Amino acid sequence: MAQDTFAAPGSTTRTRVRRIPEKAVQDRGTLHAILDAGLVAHLAVVEDGQPFVVPVGYARDGERVLIHGSSGSRLFRDLATGTPTCFTVTLLDGLVLARSAFESSMNYRGVMVLGRCVELTGQEKDDALRTISDHLLPGRWDDIRPPSRKELAATCVLALPLDEASVKVSAGGPDDAEEDLFRPTWAGHVPLREVAGDPVPASDNRDPLPDYVLGWRQ
Amino acid sequence: MAQDTFAAPGSTTRTRVRRIPEKAVQDRGTLHAILDAGLVAHLAVVEDGQPFVVPVGYARDGERVLIHGSSGSRLFRDLATGTPTCFTVTLLDGLVLARSAFESSMNYRGVMVLGRCVELTGQEKDDALRTISDHLLPGRWDDIRPPSRKELAATCVLALPLDEASVKVSAGGPDDAEEDLFRPTWAGHVPLREVAGDPVPASDNRDPLPDYVLGWRQ
């Protein structure tokens, strides 16, 4: 019962957050916001009982995520056949420094999606590549050469529905036990964030830096 | 043949980098350095053909990685039985902005380890918890209350050997095709890095900020 209360939207018994259910988050907006804030997901595929976990660029498109990879990749070919997968995005937000080892932890926002991918083709595939580019660096797509037919053939684009998803958020300071409060130990948390450094032009670049690059993740 | 040349140390046909083999890195020092720089890994477990990918804190201890989780977690209990797993660390270093969509990519350092975990007990378990703490925040362990017997029982510590590991590193700028160089498009890369913000004391904190917190990841 208590676990059901904390089930995330679209969760099933498989994605229900069993450990520390108070960290489960229920609203769909939080699910979307985490996916929209991340750049890289970790995607699993199983071959003969052995899981493989690979980092992928992605984008959210409504109630699904879009993932692209190489058509020549065995893992992507497996995923395209609809083999069960898990898609996980973790945004590390900092360290939680409690007065005990046991209560010390990390702050993070995390999403886990279970399901099966479908491969996109034709116009859907073209649109998905733009959506992924727009997610990673808004404004870039209009400046670059779109994929040729040959490059499209070398690219596999998958969509995974957000039907079965769980969300966990851990934020703020430590939750020390009463009996540890007397300890002469600094307690609190240290935020972490990902920041962009100065753009580095290619040696053969002759063009001015666009505003959308300059302002990215600053 | 070419693939063997690019096999990472300790790699097998399963971890040999098949896609873009020039990104495979061969030396053990790079493997260790990437693991030592990361804070969170993504760990897979398979249940009835369904993979689950969960973020975990970890530390490298010589030629193995140490992972801790809750004894109450079904995933950790499965891993403790020696079910096949995949342990992946990805450090995102930035965006690579080529003049074509196809050559646009990300810079990253990545490690993938395949194998089976063993559960640590007794002194080995105690030592592993300190090693993980020392990796996440050097200096912290001596300031905090070590785990009680009850807390230890609630904690599962696993070790995964680095016997079967692959390393991939992508760095620097884009590699545009000759025919794209004429395009009036800024090309280069944008570095990304994780930085710590100002430490935030807990509301019940009465102690001075230790130097090891102040200097962390600045």
Side-chain angles (χ1 to χ4, degrees):
Chain A
M1 265 313 276
Q3 286 188 338
D4 279 314
T5 312
F6 294 108
S11 79
T12 64
T13 51
R14 300 197 301 178
T15 54
R16 201 161 291 151
V17 177
R18 290 187 189 81
R19 307 306 312 164
I20 324 184
E22 68 270 22
K23 290 189 176 157
V25 173
Q26 302 200 52
D27 71 291
R28 207 77 189 164
T30 304
L31 168 67
H32 292 174
I34 294 170
L35 292 173
D36 292 348
L39 297 170
V40 167
H42 283 83
L43 191 67
V45 67
V46 185
E47 291 183 347
D48 300 327
Q50 171 67 53
F52 294 82
V53 178
V54 294
V56 290
Y58 73 93
R60 182 178 68 85
D61 175 39
E63 293 300 328
R64 62 184 188 171
V65 284
L66 306 171
I67 306 146
H68 74 318
S70 165
S71 304
S73 149
R74 198 180 53 181
L75 300 188
F76 269 82
R77 286 201 307 269
D78 277 1
L79 288 167
T81 67
T83 185
T85 190
C86 177
F87 171 98
T88 298
V89 171
T90 307
L91 308 176
L92 182 61
D93 289 330
L95 295 189
V96 179
L97 305 184
R99 296 167 178 92
S100 69
F102 190 73
E103 291 293 344
S104 299
S105 63
M106 295 188 191
N107 281 332
Y108 63 95
R109 290 161 289 157
V111 165
M112 184 172 82
V113 184
L114 302 182
R116 295 165 189 270
C117 295
V118 292
E119 186 171 3
L120 302 185
T121 57
Q123 188 61 44
E124 262 208 316
K125 180 176 180 177
D126 295 356
D127 293 346
L129 289 171
R130 186 191 176 115
T131 302
I132 294 170
S133 176
D134 282 347
H135 169 62
L136 296 176
L137 181 55
R140 185 63 178 171
W141 187 263
D142 291 328
D143 272 1
I144 52 180
R145 178 176 61 73
S148 66
R149 191 170 296 193
K150 190 177 160 192
E151 288 168 346
L152 275 174
T155 305
C156 176
V157 180
L158 304 171
L160 178 67
L162 297 176
D163 296 341
E164 196 175 347
S166 70
V167 178
K168 281 175 87 171
V169 173
S170 185
D175 188 20
D176 275 306
E178 191 74 30
E179 56 267 35
D180 290 325
L181 294 179
F182 76 94
R183 293 185 62 89
T185 300
W186 188 88
H189 67 280
V190 186
L192 265 183
R193 63 194 180 100
E194 213 162 44
V195 295
D198 292 334
V200 180
S203 56
D204 54 17
N205 177 67
R206 297 174 312 270
D207 293 284
L209 190 69
D211 286 345
Y212 63 79
V213 175
L214 198 58
W216 185 71
R217 304 232 160 192
Q218 291 289 351
Chain B
M1 264 310 277
Q3 286 189 340
D4 278 315
T5 312
F6 294 108
S11 79
T12 64
T13 52
R14 300 197 301 178
T15 54
R16 201 162 294 152
V17 177
R18 290 187 191 81
R19 305 307 312 161
I20 324 184
E22 66 272 22
K23 291 192 175 154
V25 174
Q26 302 199 52
D27 70 291
R28 207 77 188 163
T30 305
L31 168 68
H32 292 175
I34 294 170
L35 292 171
D36 292 349
L39 296 169
V40 168
H42 283 83
L43 192 66
V45 67
V46 185
E47 292 183 347
D48 300 327
Q50 171 67 53
F52 294 82
V53 177
V54 294
V56 290
Y58 73 92
R60 183 178 67 87
D61 176 38
E63 294 299 328
R64 61 184 188 172
V65 284
L66 306 170
I67 306 145
H68 74 319
S70 165
S71 304
S73 150
R74 197 181 52 179
L75 299 189
F76 269 83
R77 287 200 306 269
D78 276 1
L79 288 167
T81 67
T83 186
T85 190
C86 178
F87 171 98
T88 297
V89 171
T90 307
L91 308 176
L92 181 61
D93 289 330
L95 296 189
V96 179
L97 306 185
R99 296 167 178 94
S100 70
F102 190 73
E103 291 293 342
S104 299
S105 64
M106 296 189 191
N107 281 331
Y108 64 96
R109 290 161 289 157
V111 164
M112 185 173 81
V113 184
L114 302 181
R116 296 165 188 269
C117 295
V118 292
E119 185 171 3
L120 302 185
T121 57
Q123 188 62 45
E124 260 207 315
K125 179 176 181 176
D126 296 355
D127 293 346
L129 289 171
R130 185 191 178 115
T131 301
I132 294 170
S133 176
D134 282 346
H135 169 62
L136 296 177
L137 181 54
R140 185 63 179 172
W141 188 263
D142 292 328
D143 272 1
I144 52 180
R145 177 176 62 72
S148 67
R149 190 169 298 192
K150 190 177 160 193
E151 289 168 345
L152 275 175
T155 305
C156 177
V157 180
L158 303 171
L160 177 66
L162 298 176
D163 296 342
E164 196 175 348
S166 70
V167 178
K168 280 175 89 172
V169 173
S170 185
D175 189 18
D176 274 307
E178 191 75 28
E179 57 266 36
D180 290 326
L181 294 180
F182 77 94
R183 290 185 64 87
T185 301
W186 188 88
H189 68 281
V190 186
L192 265 182
R193 63 195 181 97
E194 214 162 44
V195 295
D198 291 335
V200 180
S203 56
D204 54 17
N205 177 67
R206 297 173 312 271
D207 293 283
L209 190 68
D211 286 343
Y212 63 80
V213 176
L214 198 56
W216 185 72
R217 302 234 160 190
Q218 292 289 349

